Amino acid sequence: MSDLPVCPKCGSAYSYPDGEMYICSECAHEWMPGANTESGDSDRVIKDANGNVLQDGDTITVIKDLKVKGSSLVVKVGTRVKNIRLVDGDHDIDCKIDGIGAMKLKSEFVKKA
């Protein structure tokens, strides 16, 4: 068996050395061999427009009219959204809005209810 470490991000055993770093061939994560698995992604804090910290399951209120891309629908100001889920990416909130369906929202356009 190989003495190469597993990827700290995805747990894959298919890593390879590249100079002083290791690279995962499955997720392309790069890390230093002596570095601890402390990554800033897992400790990422998502805040609403007022600076309140958001968590999974929170209820939020939309603070700006948001056009739904590819549709003529609009999410109006004051729309309450229950049971949000935080995800990584530009649109960091996954939710389901009554009358519209599943959507991704940016935290800068919502406030914690």
Side-chain angles (χ1 to χ4, degrees):
M1 290 298 298
S2 172
D3 291 336
L4 295 174
V6 297
C7 176
K9 186 173 182 183
C10 70
S12 171
Y14 302 111
S15 62
Y16 59 92
D18 184 27
E20 296 179 359
M21 301 190 68
Y22 285 104
I23 300 175
C24 176
S25 61
E26 290 188 11
C27 71
H29 178 65
E30 299 178 3
W31 72 97
M32 295 292 291
N36 206 351
T37 59
E38 296 174 18
S39 118
D41 295 337
S42 63
D43 296 334
R44 186 173 154 206
V45 176
I46 298 176
K47 296 183 179 183
D48 69 356
N50 295 333
N52 298 320
V53 177
L54 296 173
Q55 296 177 349
D56 287 339
D58 280 347
T59 299
I60 56 173
T61 304
V62 178
I63 61 170
K64 178 182 175 184
D65 282 346
L66 302 173
K67 294 180 182 178
V68 179
K69 191 172 184 178
S71 171
S72 62
L73 299 173
V74 176
V75 179
K76 296 286 189 179
V77 173
T79 302
R80 291 181 65 106
V81 181
K82 298 179 185 176
N83 198 17
I84 65 169
R85 187 169 28 125
L86 302 178
V87 295
D88 290 333
D90 187 31
H91 292 75
D92 42 18
I93 299 173
D94 263 350
C95 60
K96 186 175 181 183
I97 299 177
D98 293 336
I100 295 176
M103 284 196 65
K104 291 186 175 228
L105 300 173
K106 290 186 177 184
S107 58
E108 62 195 62
F109 299 121
V110 301
K111 68 178 181 178
K112 194 171 184 176

